[in-house]
């Protein structure tokens, strides 16, 4: 089998030899796709405000796209969620071009969009160097940095969405059944079956689907993968659910807060840290150790690194003004900076799995995150925070075994359980002050995150919760 060329990394250049090999590979991929009835390929990337943007090519142009890329303005990196544009220190204005190249390894026919395939894009400048705002490449780099220390990460996004009737701007729940009720499966059985079958045909391994708490809300969990794979999967899962919903005359909202007075949509991240043991077999560091809840010292330090930086991490993981309407106490969103064993009100819920399954199942669930986040940028920031925790040998405080909102304020203070930022302005300020995250993401990305967050804060300044939810509801 033909060797796949390594993607170009920062500092390298996409040379003529690599371009030729990419083109040859794309040409055989295109022949195969044509045989499967595929007409076009959507090359996607996710912008800093969390919106998946695309350029598409007819399948006959895949070879050219793999070799030379498809032009797209760099200005999209400073788009806000309503498609208005700010300018950052590194990006802005109508001038310039960069090239989207399909990642042929992750190209999949989209069962929900017959005739279409999807390929996450690499973004290169015209001179063949990697674009500094390519958040997918950034995640690859963070994964490699952890690997240099001997660590790998398995991760998955758990996606919640709310289903509305029809295509109106308002939200009108498509089912009436109670939270977690079987009635909700019965009401939309054909729709949910199609969600499952199309995800499977697209190559996504679903491990669970259930009705959630809020009106019309469901959740799907998928199998853990390598970080870049998990972020690609999150993009495909959302587009598949969106398409199947529309085919059923429904509309899916992934917004952090669909209605101002309801429970929101989270996109919790599950993470486990692995290391090869003596015989090269990967072992889960989240189990079998003598730290808290069976964590090894490294898993504890990794978790503590994330806990320590949660306020700043929210600027990438809860990136919308609407995110803070969701992130409120006693809504299972994890609004306090603390951790606990199976505590659904702690920002970090540690999951051990059933006795006997722990070595495979133990993982950390980060709950305070939502699907407005760019999944690549978010995972890159989480890995950087965890890696820094390992380096600093951080230790966890005592676990919290109650809803922190029910504790008297002085007890919370004594146990160091702080409320997480209550607004995007607060998390943006924490992010701007966090030199570890800024260094890991690089100056161009960090400054652009600030510019986009500040832009959305200004855009929605003075808006009521109803106005914020209305503007955000159908965007991500
Ligand atoms: N919908 C909740 C959230 O906003 C999460 C419910 C759950 O624990 O799955 O994150
Ligand atoms: Mg849930």
């Amino acid at each position: 089998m033909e060797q796949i060329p390594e993607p170009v990394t920062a500092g390298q250049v996409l040379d003529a030899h690599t371009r030729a090999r990419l083109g040859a590979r794309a040409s055989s991929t295109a022949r195969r796709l044509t045989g499967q009835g595929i007409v076009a390929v959507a090359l996607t990337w996710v912008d800093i405000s969390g919106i998946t943007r695309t350029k598409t090519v007819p399948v006959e142009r895949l070879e050219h796209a793999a070799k030379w890329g498809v032009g797209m303005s760099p200005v999209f990196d400073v788009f806000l969620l309503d498609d208005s544009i700010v300018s950052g220190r590194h990006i802005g204005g109508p001038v310039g071009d960069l090239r989207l190249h399909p990642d042929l390894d992750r190209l999949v026919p989209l069962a929900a969009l017959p005739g279409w395939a999807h390929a996450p894009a690499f973004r290169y400048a015209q001179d063949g160097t990697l674009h500094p705002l390519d958040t997918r490449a950034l995640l690859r780099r963070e994964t490699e940095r952890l690997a240099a220390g001997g660590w790998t990460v398995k991760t998955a996004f758990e996606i919640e969405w709310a289903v509305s009737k029809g295509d109106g701007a308002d939200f009108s729940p498509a089912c009436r059944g109670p939270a977690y009720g079987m009635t909700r499966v019965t009401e939309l059985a054909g729709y949910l079956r199609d969600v499952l079958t199309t995800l499977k045909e697209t190559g996504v391994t679903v491990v669970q689907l259930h009705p959630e708490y809020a009106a019309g809300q469901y959740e799907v969990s998928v199998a853990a993968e390598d970080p870049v794979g998990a972020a690609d999967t999150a993009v495909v899962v959302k587009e598949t659910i969106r398409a199947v919903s529309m085919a059923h005359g429904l509309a899916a909202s992934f917004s952090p807060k669909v209605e101002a007075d309801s429970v929101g949509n989270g996109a919790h991240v599950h993470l486990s840290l692995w290391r090869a043991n003596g015989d090269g077999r990967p072992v889960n560091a989240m189990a079998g150790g003598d730290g808290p809840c069976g964590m090894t010292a490294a898993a504890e330090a990794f978790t503590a690194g994330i806990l320590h930086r949660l306020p700043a991490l929210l600027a990438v993981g809860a990136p919308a003004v609407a995110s803070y309407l969701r992130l409120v106490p006693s809504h299972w969103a994890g609004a306090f900076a603390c951790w606990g064993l199976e505590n659904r009100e702690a920002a970090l819920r540690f999951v051990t799995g059933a006795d006997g399954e722990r070595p495979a199942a133990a993982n950390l669930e980060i709950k305070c995150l939502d699907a407005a986040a760019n999944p690549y940028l978010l995972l890159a920031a989480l890995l950087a925070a965890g890696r820094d925790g390992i380096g600093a040998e951080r230790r966890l405080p005592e676990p919290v075994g109650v809803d922190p909102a029910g504790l008297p304020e002085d007890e919370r203070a004594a146990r160091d359980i702080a409320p997480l930022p209550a607004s995007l302005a607060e998390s943006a300020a924490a992010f701007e002050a966090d030199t570890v995250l800024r260094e890991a993401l690089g100056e161009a990305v960090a400054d652009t995150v600030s510019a986009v967050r500040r832009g959305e804060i200004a855009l929605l300044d003075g808006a009521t919760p109803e106005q914020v939810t209305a503007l955000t509801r159908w965007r991500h």
Side-chain angles (χ1 to χ4, degrees):
M1 199 181 133
E2 195 217 345
Q3 192 61 35
I4 297 158
E6 279 296 302
V8 164
T9 54
Q12 292 180 320
V13 178
L14 198 54
D15 59 22
H17 178 66
T18 309
R19 287 184 194 275
R21 293 182 58 174
L22 286 170
R25 180 140 184 264
S27 137
S28 63
T29 303
R31 267 197 306 281
R32 176 172 52 82
L33 292 174
T34 303
Q36 295 173 319
I38 299 297
V39 173
V41 181
L43 281 65
T44 67
W45 60 283
V46 183
D47 73 12
I48 300 289
S49 83
I51 291 178
T52 304
R53 311 258 176 204
T54 192
K55 282 278 185 90
T56 78
V57 288
V59 77
E60 299 76 29
R61 272 301 266 197
L62 187 66
E63 178 182 346
H64 188 273
K67 235 169 156 171
W68 300 108
V70 179
M72 191 154 192
S73 165
V75 80
F76 292 100
D77 283 302
V78 284
F79 263 46
L80 305 185
L81 87 169
D82 69 337
D83 294 340
S84 61
I85 307 171
V86 289
S87 59
R89 223 155 46 87
H90 299 267
I91 299 287
V95 180
D97 192 35
L98 53 80
R99 317 294 303 174
L100 307 182
H101 290 247
D103 183 343
L104 299 170
D105 288 335
R106 293 288 301 185
L107 187 151
V108 282
L110 287 172
L113 300 180
W116 287 88
H118 172 258
F122 294 112
R123 301 198 304 155
Y124 295 112
Q126 279 175 328
D127 63 4
T129 57
L130 198 58
H131 186 62
L133 283 146
D134 186 334
T135 54
R136 195 167 177 269
L138 182 63
L139 176 56
R140 201 175 64 207
R141 188 180 76 200
E142 271 312 314
T143 308
E144 284 163 2
R145 282 177 170 172
L146 266 175
W151 301 106
T152 51
V153 159
K154 285 194 194 177
T155 182
F157 284 86
E158 198 178 272
I159 294 179
E160 295 181 338
W161 77 101
V163 193
S164 180
K165 285 182 206 155
D167 56 6
D170 291 340
F171 180 76
S172 167
C175 55
R176 289 186 297 190
Y180 302 92
M182 181 60 198
T183 306
R184 273 201 210 168
V185 175
T186 304
E187 286 176 279
L188 293 184
Y191 163 68
L192 296 172
R193 177 205 59 216
D194 287 354
V195 167
L196 289 172
T197 50
T198 43
L199 285 173
K200 186 174 180 174
E201 281 170 38
T202 311
V204 175
T205 306
V206 171
V207 295
Q208 188 178 304
L209 182 146
H210 68 263
E212 255 295 340
Y213 187 88
Q217 192 182 34
Y218 295 88
E219 171 184 317
V220 69
S221 313
V222 299
E225 296 172 79
D226 68 283
V228 173
D232 289 341
T233 296
V235 170
V236 166
V237 167
K238 276 168 70 177
E239 293 317 319
T240 297
I241 291 173
R242 202 186 320 273
V244 174
S245 304
M246 290 169 78
H248 281 260
L250 305 169
S253 173
F254 300 95
S255 171
K257 196 76 166 178
V258 180
E259 293 182 291
D261 56 357
S262 163
V263 165
N265 286 322
H268 309 171
V269 169
H270 288 262
L271 276 174
S272 55
L273 184 70
W274 297 68
R275 179 169 208 126
N277 73 1
D279 61 17
R281 204 168 42 90
V283 177
N284 186 357
M286 300 259 165
D290 45 21
C293 304
M295 291 181 212
T296 63
E300 180 184 356
F302 185 88
T303 304
I306 292 175
L307 178 60
H308 180 67
R309 315 209 102 77
L310 278 179
L313 285 166
L314 287 187
V316 289
V321 171
S323 300
Y324 298 82
L325 298 173
R326 163 187 171 259
L327 194 57
V328 289
S330 308
H331 281 57
W332 286 16
F336 287 92
C338 61
W339 78 283
L341 177 63
E342 294 289 5
N343 185 347
R344 289 179 171 77
E345 283 298 342
L348 303 187
R349 168 185 169 217
F350 192 66
V351 180
T352 54
D355 292 355
E357 205 196 7
R358 292 184 179 199
N363 73 86
L364 177 69
E365 179 183 31
I366 306 151
K367 290 183 68 81
C368 49
L369 314 170
D370 63 61
N374 170 328
Y376 304 98
L377 183 60
L378 170 55
L379 289 181
L382 289 172
L383 297 195
R387 183 170 52 86
D388 184 72
I390 294 177
E393 298 183 1
R394 281 191 186 277
R395 289 287 159 261
L396 283 170
E398 286 301 306
V400 174
V402 293
D403 179 354
L407 294 174
E409 216 172 301
D410 53 345
E411 189 180 335
R412 276 206 304 266
R415 293 173 66 178
D416 215 10
I417 306 171
L420 284 171
S423 68
L424 186 56
E426 269 182 59
S427 62
F431 175 80
E432 284 157 6
D434 192 316
T435 47
V436 167
L437 283 186
R438 293 183 63 85
E439 185 280 325
L441 302 185
E443 194 187 318
V445 171
D447 284 350
T448 309
V449 168
S450 286
V452 170
R453 300 300 173 262
R454 298 280 165 203
E456 293 197 0
I457 291 165
L459 176 75
L460 288 161
D461 186 33
T464 62
E466 286 71 21
Q467 289 167 329
V468 172
T469 48
L471 186 88
T472 315
R473 189 173 292 134
W474 306 114
R475 302 304 292 174
H476 293 99

